Amino acid sequence: MVTIEFLRQFRFGGYAIFDFVLAFVGIYLISSSLSKIFLKFRIYIPKQNWLFLTLPISILTHLLVGKITPMTRNFLDIHGHYILKIVILILLFFGLKSIKIIKK
């Protein structure tokens, strides 16, 4: 029997690959619905932008619920992990780049 602990033991840079795959597959599956929901509020978010926003949203969500993961802790560390911070900011930039507010 494959358990989550077994799947989470495979890591890249200290982060569980399983968590990344699950997050990106989850966002990919619900991106169409999320885009439709935001379109009702006259905000156009292309489906591919949700993939760019996956990690920034996950860091924000973990902060809001108080679950500090290694990536969240490393992102908030003011004394290091600059590559992670740059990657997250680049993903945030590309995620927000094509979002448009639709006027009536």
Side-chain angles (χ1 to χ4, degrees):
M1 179 77 148
V2 177
T3 63
I4 292 179
E5 290 82 21
F6 173 75
L7 294 172
R8 293 188 78 227
Q9 79 178 355
F10 303 103
R11 299 187 174 270
F12 178 75
Y15 307 116
I17 295 171
F18 176 74
D19 293 344
F20 281 115
V21 171
L22 192 64
F24 283 105
V25 169
I27 286 290
Y28 176 77
L29 292 175
I30 66 170
S31 64
S32 181
S33 299
L34 289 171
S35 291
K36 288 178 185 176
I37 290 170
F38 276 86
L39 203 54
K40 290 181 181 182
F41 296 106
R42 297 189 322 217
I43 300 172
Y44 173 71
I45 303 176
K47 294 174 190 144
Q48 68 269 12
N49 282 38
W50 289 109
L51 292 174
F52 288 122
L53 292 171
T54 301
L55 293 180
I57 288 172
S58 69
I59 289 175
L60 180 64
T61 303
H62 284 109
L63 282 173
L64 291 175
V65 298
K67 175 76 171 153
I68 304 301
T69 62
M71 182 178 289
T72 305
R73 183 176 7 97
N74 292 343
F75 183 75
L76 296 175
D77 180 17
I78 59 173
H79 299 293
H81 306 285
Y82 298 113
I83 293 175
L84 173 67
K85 292 172 184 161
I86 291 169
V87 168
I88 297 297
L89 291 175
I90 289 171
L91 288 172
L92 184 63
F93 171 76
F94 282 116
L96 297 175
K97 184 178 176 183
S98 299
I99 295 177
K100 294 180 176 59
I101 297 176
I102 300 172
K103 296 179 183 175
K104 284 188 175 182

